[in-house]
Amino acid sequence: MKTHARVVVIGGGVVGCSVLYHLTKFGWSDVLLLERSELTSGSTWHAAGGFHTINGDTNMAALQGYTIRLYKELEEITGMSCGLHHVGGVTIADTQERMDMLKAERAKHRHMGLDTEILSPEEIAKIAPATNVDGILGGLYDPLDGHLDPSGTTHAYARAAKMGGAEIETHCMVKETNQLPDGTWEVVTDKGTVIAEHIVNAGGLWAREVGEMAGVYLPLHPMEHQYIVTDDIPLIYEADKEHPHVMDPAGESYLRQEGRGLCIGFYEQPCRPWAVDGTPWKFGHELLPDDFDKIEDSIEFAYKRFPALAEVGVKSVIHGPFTFAPDGNPLVGPVPGKKNYWSACGVMAGFSQGGGVGLTLAQWMIEGEPERDVFAMDVARFGKWITPGYTLPKVIENYQNRFSVVYPNEELPAARPMNTTPMYDIQKELGAVFGQQNGLEVANYFAEGDEPRYETPSFRRSNAFDATAREVKAVREAVGINEVQNFGKYDVKGPNARAWLNKIMAGRVPKIGRLSLTPMLAHSGRLIGDFTMSCLAEDHFQLTASYGAQDFHTRWFEQHEQDGVTVENISDRRTGFQIAGPNARKVLEAVTRADVSAEAFKFLDVKQITIGMSSCIVQRVSYTGDLGYEIYTDAMNQRALWNTLWIEGQKHGMKPFGMRAMMSLRLDKFFGSWLSEFSPDYTAGETGLDRFISFKKPDDFIGRAAAEKEKAEGSARTLVAYEVEAKDCDVHAYEPVWINGEVQGFCTSGGYSHYAQKSIAMALIPAEQAREGNEAEIEILGHMRKARQIVTPLFDADGARMRG
């Protein structure tokens, strides 16, 4: 075995072999894969081998599409068979809610280029005759669905990697991974030691244990999963073509043809986690004992949906474990805080996603960033707050909801509350209905009187609609107060702080006592953050951004660290409130001795002042687009600050408002939101954030060349706002925009402006189509809704109140 390698991949399942192949495909041949047993040991060998493109996240769906297309390429490269069966698949719906979800997914597919279609019950019965369509409203058909041979596919990846120069060492168990002073890794095995520049943890069922060797906690957990294969069924083997896949969410099952019979698997409610205290190293090609008790109800339901199952016996039972992350998506990318340590774990749908994971990781390692926004599977989407005690109940919940309707406003209950602020009990007494962001409980809205303390999940306007309208009214007509805990906050200090910020941020670094808005760019010019940058002293700054992107942004800061600068994540130590509305200044004037008049405290000013008893950083800015202030203090002082603001606020009509109102208020000004309008898929020029780029500053900031090129050439698409003739359902995201009878764009987000009483959509469309009054149609839940492009903000169009 070699003693040095540029990359050591740990784990020889389908994901590890895909990573190895893609590294060679992109030009790195000095790569080594270590497998403690044989290739496909673990989850890969007993997988059902199904693949599909449908995914709620469009980038994940695109990567699944890449994976499926890759299989023919692998066969051509290696001469090996992947055992491909492109039979198509249909997801059936027996309720209006499920049908709404399928229509929403079909709409997304239009701008993604996926050729799916909605089928009637009669059409389903024709193409999938094993299905009893009684009670079925329809289904979504995907012609790319199919299945393959898991072992053959994994070995095809491995052979293609070897053809590119990679080496594979089987029966080689990794014992230790130790980072050396120069940043390289010592990989200690039972066959010797390898020094590697990079490590990739593709350990699958053992990824937790492999991570622990490096002091890394990866939030994933194995679950038991069972599927059965039937004896021969005449309906199947007498047909003139292979039966398509059928996904039955109501029955929590998936079904496909297997030989002359059927294979059916279940995501049952009485599910069981496996190896809670660690995966045994000796486990590999074994299966778990059959357990029909836990799938008894599922089987009974399946006999009604697929009557042919009840007529034959069971040929074999496959019962084995595979891993989930808390949200069901993979854990991929550079692990924050560990130089050159990469994750490729938690890929529960390995034959749908494995190729995309390999592609993403290889691009990230070799080119510095993946070609698309992959935050949905970025290992950095979970912060340091996450624990095994949180992961386990969330994984169980995710397994149980695998085939459930996914609503845009749904807040799942498992492992909550996890993190709370000192305001939690006060907000609860005020009627707060909470959501969760990055483990933090965040007030979505405040119910009053006998209004329910639960928001009903829906694709349409929910029971939070009236409460949200009430909160918006309070902000626009009096003053509202909202907690600002759910901002990521960073303290930047040191003699080189200004120079560092001028390099890492594209915008102008403000003078003392001022703040600026700035995009943070990747080298490609794509967005990786939108920040508020506040100058507290010549060598001291505060940065604020998305709370859910803390580890994502911290990793970037660490990768570009510089002497003479310290960057500290203080997101949970500095907290506070924003107050906004026409009476906001009156409240602030009454609770501080500082001069906060319009002349002394201008728009985009930042001051350190005392409010009541609390020492605070106050910023004259508000995401509501109204006259407002962001007020930050130490978390220990938050309740004292609340009492001061709340008691005085009652004299001025103050009401609490939550994130539902915030998202409505920002639409009045066409303000974008992180991971909606602003994401690593988009550039500053496309989204309008280029107006905050300081092209005149002499500093060679990251992404400058790409941003200047885009400025000179213009952007092919641009972000616009539409007024939509919606009924009871507003835009959420990714609905297609039809212009002149064809899909030319898609929505990034939307909702209802309670202030203007209009449905608003934000969308990316071709730049040449962007003009006031331009008409379009937006497809919402299968209905074409007329839309008209608008350019004048719905509230405070000239900014007089916000700036005055």
Side-chain angles (χ1 to χ4, degrees):
M1 184 179 72
K2 64 197 304 182
T3 57
H4 290 79
R6 191 169 196 174
V7 183
V8 166
V9 178
I10 302 173
V14 64
V15 174
C17 290
S18 171
V19 169
L20 195 72
Y21 163 65
H22 281 91
L23 288 170
T24 64
K25 182 177 182 178
F26 281 84
W28 282 11
S29 58
D30 183 16
V31 292
L32 171 66
L33 184 145
L34 303 178
E35 165 55 47
R36 66 177 185 90
S37 183
E38 296 283 356
L39 296 184
T40 76
S41 297
S43 298
T44 296
W45 80 270
H46 62 69
F51 54 79
H52 58 273
T53 58
I54 294 176
N55 189 294
D57 183 278
T58 56
N59 283 303
M60 291 296 295
L63 288 172
Q64 290 175 196
Y66 167 81
T67 300
I68 294 168
R69 292 190 298 271
L70 179 64
Y71 292 133
K72 289 185 179 179
E73 179 183 323
L74 282 177
E75 290 183 332
E76 292 171 0
I77 291 171
T78 64
M80 298 176 66
S81 172
C82 293
L84 293 175
H85 295 255
H86 278 288
V87 296
V90 61
T91 302
I92 57 179
D94 64 340
T95 66
Q96 188 57 54
E97 288 77 13
R98 295 190 196 280
M99 202 65 211
D100 283 347
M101 184 180 77
L102 297 184
K103 288 177 180 178
E105 289 301 306
R106 171 65 187 105
K108 292 179 185 178
H109 297 162
R110 293 193 195 278
H111 74 82
M112 294 168 60
L114 294 176
D115 189 25
T116 59
E117 61 179 309
I118 297 293
L119 300 183
S120 67
E122 293 75 21
E123 290 171 319
I124 294 170
K126 186 175 180 180
I127 67 165
T131 310
N132 174 10
V133 296
D134 289 347
I136 298 300
L137 302 182
L140 179 65
Y141 178 73
D142 183 355
L144 289 180
D145 271 18
H147 56 275
L148 45 65
D149 170 24
S151 178
T153 300
T154 304
H155 282 88
Y157 273 123
R159 178 176 289 185
K162 288 181 178 179
M163 291 169 66
E167 295 185 30
I168 295 176
E169 192 75 28
T170 58
H171 299 285
C172 180
M173 183 173 179
V174 174
K175 299 286 191 179
E176 299 176 28
T177 58
N178 306 307
Q179 190 152 40
L180 302 177
D182 65 355
T184 60
W185 287 88
E186 177 187 62
V187 184
V188 181
T189 79
D190 55 4
K191 288 187 175 181
T193 298
V194 184
I195 305 299
E197 182 180 344
H198 300 268
I199 286 182
V200 177
N201 181 345
L205 289 173
W206 297 268
R208 294 175 297 173
E209 288 71 28
V210 172
E212 287 170 2
M213 295 177 188
V216 171
Y217 172 63
L218 293 168
L220 48 81
H221 198 92
M223 294 292 294
E224 297 180 3
H225 183 67
Q226 195 165 209
Y227 65 91
I228 61 177
V229 178
T230 72
D231 289 328
D232 295 356
I233 299 175
L235 175 70
I236 299 301
Y237 67 73
E238 291 177 355
D240 57 0
K241 61 180 179 180
E242 191 169 354
H243 198 281
H245 290 206
V246 182
M247 277 63 69
D248 179 19
E252 300 162 338
S253 69
Y254 59 88
L255 173 139
R256 67 168 175 83
Q257 183 170 336
E258 175 68 20
R260 290 162 60 90
L262 289 170
C263 163
I264 185 168
F266 305 99
Y267 285 89
E268 69 284 354
Q269 292 301 302
C271 58
R272 294 200 183 107
W274 182 77
V276 174
D277 296 316
T279 303
W281 286 109
K282 292 184 179 180
F283 187 84
H285 281 275
E286 300 86 355
L287 288 173
L288 305 176
D290 299 349
D291 189 351
F292 285 100
D293 289 344
K294 69 174 180 174
I295 59 172
E296 182 178 3
D297 291 343
S298 300
I299 291 176
E300 183 179 352
F301 192 98
Y303 283 172
K304 297 175 183 176
R305 181 72 74 218
F306 308 107
L309 294 173
E311 300 171 3
V312 295
V314 173
K315 180 184 293 184
S316 59
V317 179
I318 308 297
H319 190 201
F322 63 119
T323 57
F324 282 81
D327 59 4
N329 279 342
L331 301 172
V332 179
V335 173
K338 291 290 180 182
K339 183 179 180 181
N340 292 347
Y341 191 99
W342 303 80
S343 175
C345 310
V347 191
M348 56 77 54
F351 293 98
S352 292
Q353 300 173 340
V357 168
L359 170 73
T360 297
L361 204 65
Q363 288 176 333
W364 217 330
M365 296 175 75
I366 297 171
E367 300 175 359
E369 60 179 297
E371 68 184 51
R372 63 178 67 247
D373 174 17
V374 294
F375 189 78
M377 66 177 181
D378 192 334
V379 66
R381 71 187 184 274
F382 296 109
K384 294 178 177 60
W385 54 270
I386 200 166
T387 67
Y390 176 92
T391 299
L392 179 57
K394 293 304 286 187
V395 165
I396 292 172
E397 178 184 64
N398 186 272
Y399 185 99
Q400 292 173 326
N401 285 287
R402 177 71 177 156
F403 281 150
S404 296
V405 177
V406 179
Y407 297 98
N409 68 327
E410 188 169 21
E411 299 283 355
L412 297 174
R416 293 179 57 199
M418 173 67 173
N419 296 326
T420 60
T421 75
M423 286 299 301
Y424 182 73
D425 60 330
I426 293 176
Q427 290 177 325
K428 208 167 185 180
E429 289 177 6
L430 289 170
V433 177
F434 290 95
Q436 181 271 150
Q437 183 183 8
N438 206 40
L440 175 71
E441 293 295 308
V442 177
N444 279 340
Y445 67 95
F446 292 82
E448 293 183 357
D450 59 357
E451 292 176 341
R453 265 54 173 174
Y454 172 74
E455 182 178 7
T456 304
S458 177
F459 287 96
R460 293 170 167 78
R461 293 170 188 163
S462 77
N463 60 329
F465 189 81
D466 291 342
T468 303
R470 183 171 61 238
E471 294 170 23
V472 168
K473 180 180 174 67
V475 172
R476 291 291 186 238
E477 296 182 1
V479 60
I481 185 168
N482 171 266
E483 194 173 23
V484 294
Q485 172 65 23
N486 58 326
F487 286 161
K489 297 168 282 285
Y490 310 88
D491 210 39
V492 181
K493 293 180 179 179
N496 292 331
R498 180 174 291 274
W500 181 77
L501 286 170
N502 264 318
K503 176 184 177 183
I504 204 164
M505 297 295 179
R508 173 184 54 82
V509 180
K511 297 177 181 179
I512 297 173
R514 294 287 288 169
L515 63 86
S516 64
L517 307 178
T518 175
M520 186 165 70
L521 305 179
H523 293 279
S524 64
R526 291 185 296 162
L527 297 169
I528 53 173
D530 67 308
F531 283 78
T532 299
M533 183 165 39
S534 308
C535 185
L536 308 178
E538 183 57 32
D539 59 353
H540 186 190
F541 297 83
Q542 174 179 278
L543 303 177
T544 56
S546 167
Y547 186 83
Q550 286 175 64
D551 272 29
F552 176 75
H553 287 146
T554 298
R555 181 177 63 197
W556 186 257
F557 297 154
E558 290 172 347
Q559 290 171 350
H560 298 88
E561 62 186 6
Q562 180 178 320
D563 291 339
V565 185
T566 60
V567 183
E568 188 178 4
N569 183 350
I570 57 169
S571 299
D572 294 327
R573 286 168 30 208
R574 186 172 294 167
T575 186
F577 307 94
Q578 68 164 314
I579 57 173
N583 294 342
R585 183 181 289 118
K586 295 176 183 177
V587 173
L588 190 59
E589 286 175 331
V591 295
T592 182
R593 297 183 64 84
D595 185 354
V596 294
S597 64
E599 296 76 18
F601 200 175
K602 298 181 178 64
F603 183 62
L604 300 185
D605 274 357
V606 55
K607 292 181 179 293
Q608 299 187 64
I609 63 178
T610 300
I611 297 178
M613 299 181 293
S614 307
S615 178
C616 300
I617 297 170
V618 184
Q619 302 188 158
R620 175 74 196 283
V621 69
S622 175
Y623 191 49
T624 65
D626 214 313
L627 169 65
Y629 305 86
E630 293 176 354
I631 306 170
Y632 298 92
T633 192
D634 187 278
M636 293 293 287
N637 293 329
Q638 189 184 20
R639 288 178 75 119
L641 177 61
W642 164 265
N643 289 334
T644 298
L645 294 171
W646 183 250
I647 291 171
E648 179 60 32
Q650 297 313 292
K651 304 172 187 177
H652 304 279
M654 178 178 281
K655 295 281 189 181
F657 69 100
M659 292 309 296
R660 295 285 185 261
M662 178 78 83
M663 289 296 104
S664 175
L665 290 160
R666 63 103 181 178
L667 288 175
D668 296 341
K669 300 283 282 187
F670 310 151
F671 287 168
S673 175
W674 180 246
L675 291 185
S676 293
E677 285 67 47
F678 311 138
S679 88
D681 269 338
Y682 314 137
T683 66
E686 292 173 330
T687 57
L689 284 183
D690 56 338
R691 68 187 184 276
F692 299 118
I693 293 180
S694 179
F695 289 104
K696 293 182 179 180
K697 70 179 182 179
D699 308 85
D700 187 20
F701 58 84
I702 296 171
R704 178 166 194 152
E708 288 180 333
K709 183 174 185 291
E710 182 180 36
K711 182 183 180 184
E713 297 177 355
S715 304
R717 59 185 181 180
T718 191
L719 184 67
V720 300
Y722 285 103
E723 179 183 336
V724 187
E725 293 183 13
K727 291 189 177 180
D728 63 342
C729 179
D730 304 297
V731 158
H732 295 292
Y734 299 112
E735 293 87 349
V737 177
W738 295 74
I739 302 173
N740 299 326
E742 61 178 339
V743 175
Q744 296 196 40
F746 62 94
C747 296
T748 53
S749 73
Y752 190 77
S753 165
H754 288 275
Y755 168 77
Q757 297 186 10
K758 295 178 179 180
S759 183
I760 302 299
M762 306 287 284
L764 278 168
I765 65 170
E768 65 269 17
Q769 296 289 353
R771 58 185 180 275
E772 185 172 11
N774 196 22
E775 294 186 349
E777 289 183 303
I778 297 176
E779 185 177 349
I780 304 176
L781 297 185
H783 297 283
M784 304 298 282
R785 303 300 187 191
K786 290 183 179 180
R788 182 178 62 86
Q789 205 174 132
I790 52 178
V791 298
T792 303
L794 305 172
F795 168 77
D796 193 29
D798 61 359
R801 193 150 103 183
M802 181 175 70
R803 300 172 189 275

